[in-house]
Amino acid sequence: EQELGEPIEAWAPLGLAHEVLGQFGPQDRAGAILWAIGRRRPGVTVAQARADAAAMGERMARVYPATDRGFGLVARPLKDQLVGELYAPLRLLGVGALFLLLIGCANAGNLLLARLLTRQREFAVRAAHGATGRRLAAQVIVENLVLAAASGALGLALAALGVGALRRGVAGGISPVVRFALDGRLVLGGLALTLATGLLVGLLPAVLRSRSRTPFSAALNQGGRSAASSVRQSTVRALVAGEVALALVLLAGAGLLWRSVRNLTTSDLGFRTENLLTLRLDLRSQRYADPEARARFGRAVVEELGRLPGAESATLWGPSMLGRATWVIEALNEGAADDPSNLVMSARHSVNPGALANLGIALRRGRDFTWNDDLRAPLVAIVSESTAKAEWPGQDPIGKRFRALRLRGWATVVGVAADARHRQRIDLTDAANGIPPGGLGPQRDVYFPYPQLPNPALVVAVRARGDAGSAAVIASGLRAAIHRLDRTLPVYDVALLADRLARQERGSRVIALVAGAFAALALVLAALGLYGVLAHAVARRTPEIGVRRALGAPPASVLGLVIREGLVPAAAGAALGLAAAFFLTRGIASLLYGLTPADPGVFAAIAAVLLAVAAAACVLPARRAMRVDPMIAIRGD
C-alpha cells in the first residue's frame, strides 16, 4: 500500500491475482509477497507463535536456499498490524500518560502532606481535648477523599475533551480498526490510584502518630515538631525526589525525540529534492510483460517528458519511491565463499542513464550508464561508496563482479556514486517492530540501468526549472505526455517530492509534539509541586527563621537555607531520573535518528533545565523568607 499510493480494498482469488493485476504468480518463490493470518490455539502465547514462525522460516531457507535464504518469518498480533504505524506512538502515549498520572499523584501527596505538617499544632490541640488518633485520621481521610474525588472528576472531564479533540484531529487518517474512546479499565485504574493517594496520605499521620513515642502534650509544646513530623518531612522529600525523577524521564524522552526529528529534517539526503515532481506508473499488465517492451517504453517516457516546457530533466526510478527505498538485494562478490556471512545487503534501484546527475548524486569514479546497457549487453551496476567499502575494502571496485539473488548472471561494477540517504526517514510501522530508521548505519545502494532491469513498478521524476510554479505548469501536461505514448496507462499519485518527504516526517513530528507536551506538563507539575512544598516549609519554619534573623543571621543565609531545602531532593530526584532514563529510553531506540538512547548531550541539557526550573521554584518562597520580620516571626503572628 505504501508503495502504490492510496490503498484500494478489493478481493481476488490468489491463483488469478498474477493474471488480473499483473503481479507475481503464487508459484514464483522469488517474487511473491504474501501475508498469512492464523489463529492461535488456546494456551499458545504470542512468544511461542513467534518462535514457531521463526523456525518455519529457517526450514524454508534450508529447503529453498536460492530464494528464501537471508529471509525469515515474523509473527505479530493482527491488531498490532492493523493499527500499523500508530502502534509505536500509541504505546509511547500510554507510557507518558502513566508517568503524568504518577507525577500528579506524587504532587497531590506532597501538597497534602505539607499541609498536614502545618496542622500539627491543630492536631495536638484536638488530641489534648480528647480526640482519638482514629478520629483525627478519619477527619483527614474524609477531607483527602473529597479532594481526590473532585480532582478525579475534573481529570475525567478533561480526558473526555482530549479524546474528542484527538478523534477530530486525526479523522480519516487512521486505520478503521482504531477507535478513540475512554477505556473503562484505564478510567477505573486512574480513579483508583487517585483515591488511593488521598487515602494513603490520610492514613500516614495516624500510622506515624501510633509509632511515635512523643506524647500529645510534648507535641503541643513543640508546635507539632515531633519525630513523626520529621518522618513526614522525609516522606515529602522522597515524594519530591520521585516526582522530579519521573519528570526527568519524560523530559529525556521528549528531548531525544525532538533531537531525532531535528536531525531528520536538517540532514543532507545526498540528492536535490527541490522542484522535483514525481508520479507513479504501473507496467504490470500483459502489454508490458516483455522486459524489452518496458525498457522501450521507459526510454520513450524520458524523451517525451524531457520535451515538456519548463522541464529540466526526467528520471526513471524503480521500484521504490525516491527517499523511501524498500527493495533490497543481497550481493556476493566474485571470489568470496558462498556463505550468508559474506552477503552484503544493499538497496536496489533501477535508473535511466543520467538519472544520478539529474538528482545531483555525484559519480566519484567510473562511468555512467548508457542506453546501450540493455538486455543484450552484460549486466552492469553503479555502487555507492559504502557498498564499495563493504564489498571490496581497500580495493578499486571498478571492474569487480558480484551476483545477487533474483538477478541474471554476474554484474560488473562500472562506477562508484556518492552515498545518498534513500532510506533516511522513519517508518513508524518498522519502529513498532523495533526496526531503527533506515538512515542509520551505512548507506548501501546498488544502481542498475533501467534498460537491463526494467522494473514494472516505476516512479518518474521531472525536475522543473525555476520555482515550484513551474512544477505546477508541468503537472498539467504530465498525463497528456504519458497518454500520447499509451492512452490506456493510468498516471497517478502526482506530487512534489518535498511534500512526500514532509508526509514521511509527519508521524515523527506528531510523536515529538505529544512527548513534548507531556514533558512540558510534567515540568510544570514538578515546579508547582516543589513550590507548594517549599511554601509550606517556609510557613512551618517561620518561627525558626525569625530566631535566626534575631540572632543576626544575614538574609543570604536564610535564602541559602530555603533553596537548599528545595534543591537537595530535586538533585537527588534528578540523579535517580538520569539512572532510570538511561535504561528506559532504550525502548524508543527505534524512533531515534542520528543519536543514541543515552545521548549525553540531551541528558545533560535536560538535567540542567530541570534543576534550573527547581531553583526558580525555590526563589519566591526564599524571598518571602528573607522578608520575615524577626519579632513577628518569633511571636508566631
Side-chain angles (χ1 to χ4, degrees):
E1 293 178 357
Q2 292 174 342
E3 290 302 322
L4 301 177
E6 294 297 324
I8 300 176
E9 294 186 357
W11 296 90
L14 181 61
L16 297 178
H18 66 292
E19 297 179 4
V20 177
L21 303 176
Q23 296 178 344
F24 297 104
Q27 305 302 321
D28 187 354
R29 301 193 62 85
I33 300 177
L34 300 175
W35 295 86
I37 300 176
R39 190 177 300 278
R40 288 183 287 125
R41 291 178 178 176
V44 177
T45 65
V46 174
Q48 291 172 332
R50 286 174 175 163
D52 291 343
M56 188 187 305
E58 293 174 359
R59 289 196 300 270
M60 292 170 64
R62 290 192 299 269
V63 176
Y64 305 101
T67 56
D68 290 39
R69 187 178 63 179
F71 295 87
L73 297 179
V74 178
R76 61 182 304 207
L78 178 61
K79 182 176 66 174
D80 297 346
Q81 181 65 33
L82 293 175
V83 172
E85 66 175 19
L86 283 176
Y87 180 79
L90 287 177
R91 183 176 56 183
L92 185 67
L93 185 66
V95 173
L98 177 61
F99 272 38
L100 278 180
L101 180 60
L102 293 176
I103 291 174
C105 290
N107 206 350
N110 267 339
L111 294 178
L112 291 174
L113 279 176
R115 180 168 173 266
L116 287 177
L117 290 176
T118 60
R119 298 176 64 187
Q120 291 304 292
R121 182 183 293 272
E122 171 195 341
F123 292 148
V125 170
R126 288 177 178 270
H129 284 79
T132 63
R134 179 176 300 178
R135 184 169 182 176
L136 293 176
Q139 174 191 345
V140 175
I141 289 173
V142 170
E143 293 175 356
N144 290 350
L145 288 180
V146 170
L147 289 175
S151 301
L154 178 61
L156 191 59
L158 294 176
L161 292 176
V163 169
L166 188 60
R167 185 188 301 115
R168 291 189 297 271
V170 300
I174 60 171
S175 170
V177 303
V178 178
R179 293 184 304 105
F180 287 93
L182 288 177
D183 186 88
R185 294 169 298 178
L186 294 180
V187 169
L188 290 177
L191 291 177
L193 186 57
T194 303
L195 295 176
T197 301
L199 180 63
L200 290 176
V201 174
L203 288 175
L204 187 60
V207 173
L208 295 178
R209 176 63 65 187
S210 65
R211 295 184 177 182
S212 175
R213 298 181 179 179
T214 305
F216 280 113
S217 57
L220 181 60
N221 293 333
Q222 297 173 15
R225 294 183 298 275
S226 61
S229 179
S230 300
V231 174
R232 293 190 188 95
Q233 294 172 33
S234 300
T235 304
V236 168
R237 295 190 187 98
L239 286 176
V240 168
E243 186 177 352
V244 170
L246 289 173
L248 191 141
V249 172
L250 270 181
L251 286 169
L256 289 170
L257 291 172
W258 180 84
R259 275 284 306 275
S260 178
V261 170
R262 184 175 180 274
N263 290 343
L264 275 173
T265 55
T266 59
S267 62
D268 183 18
L269 295 180
F271 60 92
R272 295 167 52 208
T273 62
E274 68 274 7
N275 300 332
L276 201 61
L277 192 68
T278 58
L279 60 93
R280 297 180 190 267
L281 297 176
D282 192 349
L283 305 182
R284 291 177 292 186
S285 65
Q286 195 62 35
R287 181 173 184 176
Y288 299 104
D290 184 7
E292 290 192 2
R294 295 196 297 269
R296 288 193 301 270
F297 180 78
R299 182 170 185 174
V301 167
V302 171
E303 294 173 350
E304 184 70 23
L305 296 182
R307 289 193 288 265
L308 287 176
E312 179 180 309
S313 63
T315 301
L316 302 180
W317 197 275
S320 304
M321 173 55 70
L322 281 165
R324 193 184 178 90
T326 56
W327 289 72
V328 298
I329 61 169
E330 291 179 314
L332 182 71
N333 65 56
E334 191 174 23
D338 190 1
D339 185 87
S341 62
N342 293 325
L343 294 174
V344 175
M345 184 174 290
S346 302
R348 171 173 75 84
H349 313 279
S350 295
V351 300
N352 63 292
L356 299 182
N358 293 345
L359 296 174
I361 301 175
L363 192 64
R364 302 299 191 195
R365 293 192 299 279
R367 69 170 179 88
D368 197 357
F369 300 134
T370 69
W371 289 108
N372 292 325
D373 294 318
D374 55 20
L375 290 168
R376 291 177 293 276
L379 186 62
V380 295
I382 295 175
V383 299
S384 66
E385 290 179 302
S386 292
T387 300
K389 292 176 183 177
E391 290 277 16
W392 306 280
Q395 304 178 51
D396 183 4
I398 303 299
K400 301 292 186 182
R401 300 203 311 166
F402 67 90
R403 64 177 175 86
L405 297 177
R406 304 173 183 84
L407 295 182
R408 60 177 181 89
W410 291 83
T412 302
V413 177
V414 297
V416 178
D419 283 347
R421 295 186 180 274
H422 297 300
R423 294 202 64 206
Q424 186 256 358
R425 305 302 172 185
I426 286 181
D427 187 307
L428 293 181
T429 303
D430 286 346
N433 292 320
I435 302 174
L440 296 177
Q443 302 300 303
R444 296 172 181 162
D445 296 279
V446 176
Y447 306 93
F448 295 98
Y450 187 78
Q452 289 189 340
L453 206 65
N455 199 278
L458 184 61
V459 174
V460 180
V462 180
R463 176 88 62 187
R465 294 189 180 96
D467 56 14
S470 301
V473 173
I474 293 176
S476 62
L478 280 178
R479 287 182 173 84
I482 299 295
H483 288 161
R484 282 195 292 270
L485 301 174
D486 185 350
R487 186 174 298 275
T488 65
L489 189 66
V491 179
Y492 62 99
D493 202 13
V494 180
L496 285 168
L497 180 61
D499 294 338
R500 295 185 189 277
L501 296 178
R503 287 197 298 269
Q504 291 179 22
E505 297 168 0
R506 187 181 304 163
S508 304
R509 290 181 182 273
V510 169
I511 294 176
L513 181 63
V514 171
F518 277 9
L521 184 56
L523 190 62
V524 171
L525 287 175
L528 290 177
L530 192 58
Y531 168 77
V533 169
L534 287 177
H536 279 287
V538 170
R540 177 175 47 83
R541 300 181 66 175
T542 297
E544 174 192 344
I545 293 174
V547 172
R548 290 176 178 269
R549 293 291 308 279
L551 293 176
S557 66
V558 177
L559 175 67
L561 176 69
V562 177
I563 291 180
R564 184 165 58 251
E565 183 164 348
L567 285 184
V568 168
L576 180 63
L578 285 174
F582 180 80
F583 294 99
L584 295 178
T585 51
R586 298 179 183 180
I588 61 172
S590 59
L591 297 174
L592 302 182
Y593 172 78
L595 71 166
T596 62
D599 187 84
V602 172
F603 278 27
I606 293 302
V609 168
L610 191 57
L611 291 178
V613 171
C618 298
V619 168
L620 190 58
R623 292 183 61 186
R624 183 182 303 165
M626 287 191 299
R627 290 197 299 264
V628 172
D629 184 281
M631 298 308 297
I632 295 178
I634 293 174
R635 290 198 306 267
D637 297 339

